[in-house]
Amino acid sequence: MIELLPYILLTAKNSIMSSVTNLITQGAQFSLRRAPRRVKTHFDEDGMSVFDSDEFAYLVYIDIGGQDFWVTFDTGSSDLWVISSNCTTADCQGVVTYSPSASSTLRLSNIDFRLFYLIGSVEGAVATDMVTLGSIRVVSQTFALANKTNDLFLATTGNSGILGLSFPPAAAIRSTVGTTLLDNLFSHLSESDRFFAFKLGRNSTLGDPIIATSSFTIGKLDPSVVDPVNGMAELAYFPVFKSPSGSYDYWKFPIQSLTINGSPLPLSTSLVVNAPAPIGILDTGTTLILGPTPDVNAFWESVGTGGSTRYNMQTNLWEVRCNRAVDVRFVFGEGDDQTEYAVHPEDISWAEGKSKDGWCMGGVQINDGVNSGDWLLGDVFLRNVYVVHHGATSSKPPLIGLLSLTDPPSALTDFQNMRGSDPAPAPSVVERSSAVQWTENAKIGVAVSAIGGFVVGGLITGCYKMRRRSRRASVRR
C-alpha cells in the first residue's frame, strides 16, 4: 500500500499515471448533510412559477483538483460531475464552481458529456483529475465538467454537482472511457470490506454542516448506528436484482408487499422482464416514494377514509391531511426471509410540502416513467433504515443490507404529539380496480381543468425530485 498521510492514495483503474494497485486497509467516514431545496415545478402560460415544492437533498463533501464542493449524494445514478466555472447558464449561478485553471492535475478530453433527466439536463466534457473523498484520494479519476445545466435548481441547495454511487452500466461515461468512482473504490477494498453504508438524518444542518445527523461510510459501519464488530449480523440482506441484460445497473430488489395498518395493498405486476415481484430502486437522489399510477391511487384511496386524502388537479399531486396517522410498511425478501420496514407517519403526511389549510403533500406520488424498476424508494423511505450496499465478491452477488430505524408505536406517538389527533376512520384497503376507475375519472377532470385555464400535466415529476433516471444519456467523441 502506498500511503500519503493523512490520505490513502489510490491509482484509478485505466489511469495512465501508474499501474500500482493499493488496498484500502481501513474504512473511512465522510461528511454528509441534509439541505433544504425549493423547486419551481408548476408554471403558467407565461413561464412564471405558480407552485413551488419544498424538498430536501443530501450532500456529500468532496475535493476535485484541490477545490472543495458539496455535491448530491446519489445512489440512483453512477456518474460524478461538477459545475465548471465556464458554465454561464442561469441554473449554474450562485453555486461553487470548479475552475479548470486552478488545477495542475486536470486532464481534459475531447469527449462530450450529456445527460437528459425527466426534469433538467446537463452538458459538458469528460476529464480526469485528483479526487479526494475524506481520507481517500484517487490519483486520476474520470468525471465530467458541466458547462451547461438547465432546470436542476442547484443554487437552492448550494449543490455543485452529483456523486453517483450506482453500477457502471448506468453511467453515461462508459467503461471504455473511464471508471466510476465507486468502481475504483471497490476495486481497492478487500472483499469483506467492499461496501458503503449510510443513514439519512431527518434534520437540516445549515448552522454547522459537519454535525452528523446523517452518516456515510465506506469499508466500515457507523458505530453510532450499529456495533462496529458484529453490526453486520443485525441487518437483513437481499440480493440486487439483475437487469434484463444480465448486468447490475441500480441498487434494486423485489418488493413483496406494501401494508397499510397491517392490511396488504395488492400491487401491480412488475413491468421489468423476469421480475418475480414489483422492483424497487433505492435512490437517495429522489425525495419521495414514487410508484405506478394504479398502485399509488389505490394507496391514497385506502388511506383516505373520511375524506382525509385528495388529488390536486392543478399540481397533479396527492395530498393528505397533515394529522392523518397511518402505519405503512414495505416487505422485502422471499419465503421465511421476508422482513418488513416501517415508514414514519411524518414521511407519509409530508409537512415540508404543507399548505395553509391543513393539507400536506403525500410522501408517495405517481411516476410511470421509472427506468429499470417499478418503484423508486427515495429519501422519505430511506431515512427509516440504515442501508449497506455490498459490491460483488468472488462468492456473492451484490447485496443490499437493511436495518429498520423506525419503531412504529414510538413513531405514531411522536407524530400525534406533533400533529394532533386524527379524527378520521381507520384506513380501509381498496382494490386496484376501484382505483383504476378513479384514475379514468381523474383524467377527465384534468382535461376539463386544462380547458378551464389550469396548466397541468407535463411537469408533475419535478415536484418531488431534482432529477430522475436519465431518459437518455450519452457520451460522444
Side-chain angles (χ1 to χ4, degrees), residues 188-230:
H188 290 81
L189 286 162
S190 65
E191 290 196 346
S192 61
D193 295 333
R194 194 170 295 163
F195 66 87
F196 70 92
F198 63 87
K199 171 194 171 188
L200 302 184
R202 292 183 174 273
N203 299 318
S204 297
T205 52
L206 294 180
D208 184 354
I210 307 303
I211 295 175
T213 59
S214 299
S215 167
F216 170 38
T217 59
I218 292 178
K220 73 173 187 176
L221 300 175
D222 184 347
S224 70
V225 181
V226 295
D227 185 298
V229 177
N230 302 312

Side-chain angles (χ1 to χ4, degrees), residues 44-58:
D44 63 18
E45 293 176 348
D46 296 322
M48 299 296 293
S49 173
V50 295
F51 181 81
D52 290 355
S53 172
D54 290 315
E55 306 177 16
F56 55 87
Y58 290 88

Side-chain angles (χ1 to χ4, degrees), residues 337-455:
D337 294 328
Q338 290 190 359
T339 308
E340 64 178 16
Y341 297 89
V343 181
H344 199 293
E346 73 178 17
D347 293 319
I348 301 301
S349 178
W350 197 46
E352 293 182 69
K354 184 176 179 180
S355 58
K356 296 180 179 180
D357 57 356
W359 289 91
C360 286
M361 181 190 296
V364 181
Q365 296 291 344
I366 293 168
N367 188 341
D368 294 313
V370 178
N371 293 349
S372 301
D374 304 289
W375 289 77
L376 281 180
L377 303 179
D379 299 335
V380 296
F381 169 77
L382 291 171
R383 61 185 185 174
N384 292 279
V385 290
Y386 183 59
V387 186
V388 179
H389 288 311
H390 280 269
T393 68
S394 59
S395 60
K396 294 181 180 179
L399 298 172
I400 297 170
L402 296 178
L403 174 68
S404 179
L405 300 179
T406 297
D407 174 63
S410 299
L412 179 60
T413 298
D414 292 343
F415 180 81
Q416 291 173 334
N417 289 339
M418 290 186 296
R419 306 283 185 90
S421 61
D422 177 11
S428 177
V429 171
V430 303
E431 297 295 328
R432 282 200 317 274
S433 57
S434 301
V436 169
Q437 181 58 51
W438 182 94
T439 304
E440 295 305 315
N441 294 338
K443 289 179 180 177
I444 295 172
V446 169
V448 171
S449 297
I451 294 172
F454 291 104
V455 180

